[in-house]
Amino acid sequence: MEDTEHSRDLPENDDVWARLERLETILELAPVGAGLIDFEGRTTMTNSALHRMLGYTPEEFAEMPWREYTHPDDIEPNLLLSRQLAAGEIDHFTMEKRFRRKDGSYLWADLTVSLVSDSAGKPAYEIGMTLDISERKRLESDLRAAEERYRVLVERVPAVVYVAEPGSRGRWLYVSPQIERMLGYTAQEWMADSGLWVSLLEPAERDGVLAWDQRMLDAGIAAAPHSFTYRLHRRDGTTVWVRDDSMVLYDQDGAPTIQGVLVDVTQEKDLEERLGHQAFHDPLTGLPNRRFFRERVDHALVGAGVAGRSSVVLFIDLDNFKSVNDSFGHACGDEVIVAAARRIQRCARAGDLAARLGGDEFALLLENATLEQAEALADRILAAMHAEPVEFSVGTVVVGASVGITIAGPGETTETMLRNADLAMYQAKVRGRGRHVAYEQGMHRGAVVKFRLAAALQKAVAAGAITLVYQPIADLHSGAVVGLEALARWSDSELGEVPPTAFIPVAEQTGLIQELGRQVIRKACADAARWREKTGSDAYVSVNVSPLQLDDTDFPNFVLGALRATRLEPASLVLEVTEGLLLQERSHRTLRELRSQGVRVAIDDFGTGFSSLSRLRQLPVDMVKIDQAFVSAVESGLADLAFLQAIVRLAETLQLDTIAEGIETTTQLGVLQETSCAYGQGYLLARPGPIDDIPAVFEAITATGLAVPPSGTSD
């Protein structure tokens, strides 16, 4: 009976064992770690994947409770879930936990544990499935670290980072906390009000900004990043200029978003406006400058005047002004210039344009005027000059003037108008000063004088008679001489001392500038090499160059050849150019070519020619020489000091060296040291003179701002 029953059960048992063998095979081949856990916490059965994962043998698993190879922080959470499973409260659980490998390292795993009950429904054992998620955890950790670094960067960068939906009512999905410092609204307020940005736009610019936003959206992802500058109103009602650099991106659903950065460029715009004003106005008197005056004369000559009336130019030069500068110094001379400018401006009629052309030269433009009206105005100016002495800080002086008058004829140009008025003024000087003279055709005889000058200059250049003097450029904090500016000088046996302002224009007009410029560069490099060897200094030498020199296609080769001949490295030569010259494409290319070889470029008289700071970023320059007008103005008030500081900060931002020109007082030196202006030159340090008289260091420059020229310096 028993045998019969047993025989009857065998096929059934065989089937069970076959299924168990298949399950065991499947378990062994499973790509995840698997094990059977008894209620004492031992893993009585394990597969190869789990062995490979943790490094323990089946026997070790069977002996160790799972708590021994679990991270201490994960034991209690695991126990809690296991108790709930054993109590029948749950039939499985899943958790992330750390297993300790046999080698002591830890492995992150995704653990799923299910309860298996016997035929009576009682808990029999647990089945654990373990998936290695160490790589995922590492990536998550790296992602969190990257997100934290990004968050710190975004929240500390001095700009507002944002993500917004396009359109005037688009939501702001993210805005960095700097929005509060920029505009006075918290990030939460900004994101909660989708119309806030539009409401704060400057009304006059609102349509343009929204149109720009729409054009960017229309261009889509194919468009390059856009940059737009506009004004926003702060919470307190003040205005801030912002530059909005943004681009269109699409999220995973294909919806477009605008992602960008808002940068506060108010200071840059203010400085740009002041430099723009400076480009057309004289910084000392506030009058329009020569550039502005020429443009107005150009415009006036385009429209024909009514019968008997035309455009008239008055050229005014102060009499004996040089004696004021020589006797009392340039600061007192500036006071006289300002007083003269005010008197001239008071004499001008409504609609007349008064300008300072430079030095002690002024001009007036009268449109649709007669010669008689111009002469009457000239009489008023002469009377105003002689009416009472000009008071300045150390005394008084009577300032006279000579006035030249020219009236536009058919086909007249601005150039001929200014030339003729200048010739007439010269005749007023010749006839005894303190009078006005109208231009006449015979005054062209003065051109003979220039011809004589050109002939003498040609001989001087051929004979190599142009000499050089040098003015040192010093570190304003250590006193070290960092540069030597080469200045051309000419002394003729018949003409006497001819200033560069007289012979350089003639050299340019006659084509002598090319050979003269080559001589200057060769001599400057040779002198600098000898001086550097003598003093042990590594100071550079700087040379002013003309537009015509830069137009010469062989100029770069010549410069590099001169450097090789004197064994000077290219960085030891600095070419000084004017701001306007940098805007010429031909000059731009030549300077880029030289800079690529190491030669450096400086902007001379910075601040007198730019109307846009955005161009400065694109120019091939290494140094900025701050015009003397800005340096001398720092003693007149805080506004000028702030302007000078702004220029220095701008140069620092663009990684340009700053050199202050025309330092004449210890006060100016002290202010420049306080503004962190690195370098400077001027009569306070040394007048131009022989290179052998220049020391390597000005020992007298101290932190207090005092400087004493060396005893051997030439006047």
mmCIF file of all heavy atoms in Angstrom, residues 445-473:
data_model
loop_
_atom_site.group_PDB
_atom_site.id
_atom_site.type_symbol
_atom_site.label_atom_id
_atom_site.label_comp_id
_atom_site.label_asym_id
_atom_site.label_seq_id
_atom_site.Cartn_x
_atom_site.Cartn_y
_atom_site.Cartn_z
ATOM 1 N N ARG A 445 50.020 134.787 -49.626
ATOM 2 C CA ARG A 445 51.479 134.869 -49.648
ATOM 3 C C ARG A 445 52.096 134.155 -48.447
ATOM 4 O O ARG A 445 53.256 133.753 -48.476
ATOM 5 C CB ARG A 445 51.917 136.341 -49.680
ATOM 6 C CG ARG A 445 51.711 137.007 -51.028
ATOM 7 C CD ARG A 445 52.438 138.337 -51.087
ATOM 8 N NE ARG A 445 51.934 139.277 -50.076
ATOM 9 C CZ ARG A 445 50.934 140.128 -50.280
ATOM 10 N NH1 ARG A 445 50.329 140.158 -51.460
ATOM 11 N NH2 ARG A 445 50.535 140.945 -49.327
ATOM 12 N N GLY A 446 51.297 134.000 -47.396
ATOM 13 C CA GLY A 446 51.800 133.284 -46.218
ATOM 14 C C GLY A 446 52.168 131.848 -46.529
ATOM 15 O O GLY A 446 52.947 131.223 -45.783
ATOM 16 N N ALA A 447 51.633 131.337 -47.640
ATOM 17 C CA ALA A 447 51.973 129.961 -48.012
ATOM 18 C C ALA A 447 53.452 129.823 -48.351
ATOM 19 O O ALA A 447 54.031 128.736 -48.258
ATOM 20 C CB ALA A 447 51.131 129.521 -49.207
ATOM 21 N N VAL A 448 54.078 130.951 -48.733
ATOM 22 C CA VAL A 448 55.505 130.925 -49.050
ATOM 23 C C VAL A 448 56.319 130.535 -47.821
ATOM 24 O O VAL A 448 57.326 129.820 -47.904
ATOM 25 C CB VAL A 448 55.954 132.308 -49.579
ATOM 26 C CG1 VAL A 448 57.465 132.329 -49.812
ATOM 27 C CG2 VAL A 448 55.205 132.644 -50.856
ATOM 28 N N VAL A 449 55.848 131.007 -46.666
ATOM 29 C CA VAL A 449 56.545 130.681 -45.421
ATOM 30 C C VAL A 449 56.546 129.170 -45.203
ATOM 31 O O VAL A 449 57.568 128.575 -44.841
ATOM 32 C CB VAL A 449 55.884 131.400 -44.235
ATOM 33 C CG1 VAL A 449 56.537 130.982 -42.918
ATOM 34 C CG2 VAL A 449 55.964 132.902 -44.421
ATOM 35 N N LYS A 450 55.406 128.562 -45.444
ATOM 36 C CA LYS A 450 55.328 127.113 -45.277
ATOM 37 C C LYS A 450 56.210 126.394 -46.283
ATOM 38 O O LYS A 450 56.786 125.347 -45.991
ATOM 39 C CB LYS A 450 53.877 126.658 -45.412
ATOM 40 C CG LYS A 450 52.980 127.098 -44.269
ATOM 41 C CD LYS A 450 51.585 126.504 -44.393
ATOM 42 C CE LYS A 450 50.720 126.912 -43.205
ATOM 43 N NZ LYS A 450 49.342 126.368 -43.298
ATOM 44 N N PHE A 451 56.329 126.962 -47.485
ATOM 45 C CA PHE A 451 57.187 126.342 -48.497
ATOM 46 C C PHE A 451 58.642 126.351 -48.033
ATOM 47 O O PHE A 451 59.370 125.368 -48.186
ATOM 48 C CB PHE A 451 57.045 127.083 -49.828
ATOM 49 C CG PHE A 451 57.927 126.546 -50.914
ATOM 50 C CD1 PHE A 451 57.578 125.397 -51.608
ATOM 51 C CD2 PHE A 451 59.128 127.183 -51.226
ATOM 52 C CE1 PHE A 451 58.400 124.890 -52.602
ATOM 53 C CE2 PHE A 451 59.955 126.677 -52.211
ATOM 54 C CZ PHE A 451 59.590 125.533 -52.900
ATOM 55 N N ARG A 452 59.063 127.473 -47.451
ATOM 56 C CA ARG A 452 60.429 127.562 -46.927
ATOM 57 C C ARG A 452 60.640 126.527 -45.817
ATOM 58 O O ARG A 452 61.687 125.887 -45.733
ATOM 59 C CB ARG A 452 60.700 128.966 -46.380
ATOM 60 C CG ARG A 452 60.827 130.043 -47.442
ATOM 61 C CD ARG A 452 61.127 131.385 -46.792
ATOM 62 N NE ARG A 452 62.327 131.295 -45.963
ATOM 63 C CZ ARG A 452 62.579 132.109 -44.932
ATOM 64 N NH1 ARG A 452 61.691 133.030 -44.587
ATOM 65 N NH2 ARG A 452 63.702 131.970 -44.239
ATOM 66 N N LEU A 453 59.616 126.369 -44.983
ATOM 67 C CA LEU A 453 59.713 125.398 -43.903
ATOM 68 C C LEU A 453 59.850 123.985 -44.462
ATOM 69 O O LEU A 453 60.666 123.188 -43.986
ATOM 70 C CB LEU A 453 58.482 125.497 -42.996
ATOM 71 C CG LEU A 453 58.426 124.538 -41.805
ATOM 72 C CD1 LEU A 453 59.567 124.823 -40.837
ATOM 73 C CD2 LEU A 453 57.093 124.656 -41.084
ATOM 74 N N ALA A 454 59.087 123.680 -45.516
ATOM 75 C CA ALA A 454 59.134 122.341 -46.108
ATOM 76 C C ALA A 454 60.492 122.063 -46.734
ATOM 77 O O ALA A 454 61.042 120.958 -46.614
ATOM 78 C CB ALA A 454 58.029 122.193 -47.151
ATOM 79 N N ALA A 455 61.058 123.084 -47.403
ATOM 80 C CA ALA A 455 62.361 122.907 -48.039
ATOM 81 C C ALA A 455 63.442 122.660 -46.992
ATOM 82 O O ALA A 455 64.314 121.788 -47.154
ATOM 83 C CB ALA A 455 62.702 124.135 -48.886
ATOM 84 N N ALA A 456 63.406 123.426 -45.907
ATOM 85 C CA ALA A 456 64.399 123.251 -44.842
ATOM 86 C C ALA A 456 64.239 121.884 -44.170
ATOM 87 O O ALA A 456 65.225 121.235 -43.809
ATOM 88 C CB ALA A 456 64.272 124.380 -43.822
ATOM 89 N N LEU A 457 62.992 121.456 -44.003
ATOM 90 C CA LEU A 457 62.745 120.159 -43.367
ATOM 91 C C LEU A 457 63.269 119.023 -44.234
ATOM 92 O O LEU A 457 63.821 118.039 -43.722
ATOM 93 C CB LEU A 457 61.249 119.980 -43.089
ATOM 94 C CG LEU A 457 60.848 118.659 -42.428
ATOM 95 C CD1 LEU A 457 61.506 118.516 -41.057
ATOM 96 C CD2 LEU A 457 59.325 118.566 -42.291
ATOM 97 N N GLN A 458 63.114 119.162 -45.542
ATOM 98 C CA GLN A 458 63.607 118.125 -46.449
ATOM 99 C C GLN A 458 65.116 117.952 -46.307
ATOM 100 O O GLN A 458 65.633 116.828 -46.250
ATOM 101 C CB GLN A 458 63.247 118.471 -47.893
ATOM 102 C CG GLN A 458 63.590 117.373 -48.893
ATOM 103 C CD GLN A 458 63.053 117.687 -50.271
ATOM 104 O OE1 GLN A 458 62.697 118.827 -50.576
ATOM 105 N NE2 GLN A 458 62.976 116.678 -51.118
ATOM 106 N N LYS A 459 65.831 119.076 -46.192
ATOM 107 C CA LYS A 459 67.280 119.003 -46.003
ATOM 108 C C LYS A 459 67.622 118.374 -44.647
ATOM 109 O O LYS A 459 68.557 117.582 -44.530
ATOM 110 C CB LYS A 459 67.884 120.402 -46.100
ATOM 111 C CG LYS A 459 67.801 121.015 -47.489
ATOM 112 C CD LYS A 459 68.420 122.415 -47.492
ATOM 113 C CE LYS A 459 68.312 123.056 -48.879
ATOM 114 N NZ LYS A 459 68.880 124.432 -48.890
ATOM 115 N N ALA A 460 66.848 118.761 -43.627
ATOM 116 C CA ALA A 460 67.128 118.243 -42.280
ATOM 117 C C ALA A 460 66.926 116.738 -42.212
ATOM 118 O O ALA A 460 67.723 116.009 -41.604
ATOM 119 C CB ALA A 460 66.229 118.944 -41.268
ATOM 120 N N VAL A 461 65.871 116.246 -42.858
ATOM 121 C CA VAL A 461 65.609 114.803 -42.856
ATOM 122 C C VAL A 461 66.691 114.074 -43.637
ATOM 123 O O VAL A 461 67.189 113.013 -43.214
ATOM 124 C CB VAL A 461 64.207 114.504 -43.427
ATOM 125 C CG1 VAL A 461 64.014 113.005 -43.623
ATOM 126 C CG2 VAL A 461 63.126 115.058 -42.503
ATOM 127 N N ALA A 462 67.076 114.629 -44.772
ATOM 128 C CA ALA A 462 68.124 113.998 -45.581
ATOM 129 C C ALA A 462 69.440 113.925 -44.815
ATOM 130 O O ALA A 462 70.210 112.962 -44.961
ATOM 131 C CB ALA A 462 68.305 114.761 -46.885
ATOM 132 N N ALA A 463 69.705 114.950 -43.979
ATOM 133 C CA ALA A 463 70.952 114.984 -43.221
ATOM 134 C C ALA A 463 70.838 114.264 -41.878
ATOM 135 O O ALA A 463 71.822 114.195 -41.128
ATOM 136 C CB ALA A 463 71.376 116.436 -42.986
ATOM 137 N N GLY A 464 69.669 113.750 -41.568
ATOM 138 C CA GLY A 464 69.473 113.083 -40.282
ATOM 139 C C GLY A 464 69.596 114.046 -39.116
ATOM 140 O O GLY A 464 70.081 113.681 -38.036
ATOM 141 N N ALA A 465 69.124 115.278 -39.318
ATOM 142 C CA ALA A 465 69.301 116.323 -38.308
ATOM 143 C C ALA A 465 68.191 116.349 -37.260
ATOM 144 O O ALA A 465 68.259 117.148 -36.324
ATOM 145 C CB ALA A 465 69.393 117.695 -38.993
ATOM 146 N N ILE A 466 67.172 115.538 -37.434
ATOM 147 C CA ILE A 466 66.109 115.490 -36.430
ATOM 148 C C ILE A 466 66.634 114.691 -35.232
ATOM 149 O O ILE A 466 67.068 113.549 -35.378
ATOM 150 C CB ILE A 466 64.836 114.838 -36.987
ATOM 151 C CG1 ILE A 466 64.373 115.574 -38.246
ATOM 152 C CG2 ILE A 466 63.733 114.847 -35.927
ATOM 153 C CD1 ILE A 466 64.048 117.034 -38.043
ATOM 154 N N THR A 467 66.611 115.295 -34.065
ATOM 155 C CA THR A 467 67.120 114.639 -32.853
ATOM 156 C C THR A 467 65.954 114.163 -31.986
ATOM 157 O O THR A 467 64.792 114.483 -32.246
ATOM 158 C CB THR A 467 68.007 115.594 -32.051
ATOM 159 O OG1 THR A 467 67.226 116.737 -31.668
ATOM 160 C CG2 THR A 467 69.198 116.048 -32.881
ATOM 161 N N LEU A 468 66.292 113.406 -30.966
ATOM 162 C CA LEU A 468 65.273 112.882 -30.056
ATOM 163 C C LEU A 468 65.581 113.279 -28.621
ATOM 164 O O LEU A 468 66.737 113.285 -28.201
ATOM 165 C CB LEU A 468 65.187 111.347 -30.135
ATOM 166 C CG LEU A 468 64.761 110.723 -31.462
ATOM 167 C CD1 LEU A 468 64.714 109.199 -31.325
ATOM 168 C CD2 LEU A 468 63.402 111.248 -31.898
ATOM 169 N N VAL A 469 64.530 113.627 -27.904
ATOM 170 C CA VAL A 469 64.598 113.730 -26.451
ATOM 171 C C VAL A 469 63.600 112.720 -25.901
ATOM 172 O O VAL A 469 62.748 112.214 -26.628
ATOM 173 C CB VAL A 469 64.272 115.153 -25.951
ATOM 174 C CG1 VAL A 469 65.322 116.132 -26.405
ATOM 175 C CG2 VAL A 469 62.879 115.587 -26.410
ATOM 176 N N TYR A 470 63.706 112.449 -24.609
ATOM 177 C CA TYR A 470 62.865 111.399 -24.021
ATOM 178 C C TYR A 470 62.231 111.902 -22.736
ATOM 179 O O TYR A 470 62.853 112.612 -21.948
ATOM 180 C CB TYR A 470 63.689 110.143 -23.726
ATOM 181 C CG TYR A 470 64.254 109.496 -24.967
ATOM 182 C CD1 TYR A 470 65.452 109.940 -25.521
ATOM 183 C CD2 TYR A 470 63.575 108.467 -25.596
ATOM 184 C CE1 TYR A 470 65.958 109.363 -26.669
ATOM 185 C CE2 TYR A 470 64.082 107.876 -26.742
ATOM 186 C CZ TYR A 470 65.274 108.332 -27.271
ATOM 187 O OH TYR A 470 65.767 107.759 -28.405
ATOM 188 N N GLN A 471 60.975 111.531 -22.565
ATOM 189 C CA GLN A 471 60.308 111.793 -21.290
ATOM 190 C C GLN A 471 59.977 110.449 -20.651
ATOM 191 O O GLN A 471 59.326 109.595 -21.265
ATOM 192 C CB GLN A 471 59.026 112.610 -21.470
ATOM 193 C CG GLN A 471 58.411 113.023 -20.136
ATOM 194 C CD GLN A 471 57.257 113.993 -20.293
ATOM 195 O OE1 GLN A 471 56.444 113.847 -21.199
ATOM 196 N NE2 GLN A 471 57.175 114.973 -19.406
ATOM 197 N N PRO A 472 60.436 110.240 -19.414
ATOM 198 C CA PRO A 472 60.215 108.936 -18.777
ATOM 199 C C PRO A 472 58.768 108.726 -18.366
ATOM 200 O O PRO A 472 58.047 109.670 -18.029
ATOM 201 C CB PRO A 472 61.132 108.984 -17.551
ATOM 202 C CG PRO A 472 61.262 110.437 -17.233
ATOM 203 C CD PRO A 472 61.228 111.147 -18.560
ATOM 204 N N ILE A 473 58.360 107.473 -18.382
ATOM 205 C CA ILE A 473 57.053 107.035 -17.866
ATOM 206 C C ILE A 473 57.355 106.162 -16.659
ATOM 207 O O ILE A 473 58.084 105.176 -16.766
ATOM 208 C CB ILE A 473 56.274 106.243 -18.928
ATOM 209 C CG1 ILE A 473 56.031 107.118 -20.161
ATOM 210 C CG2 ILE A 473 54.956 105.720 -18.362
ATOM 211 C CD1 ILE A 473 55.580 106.350 -21.382
#
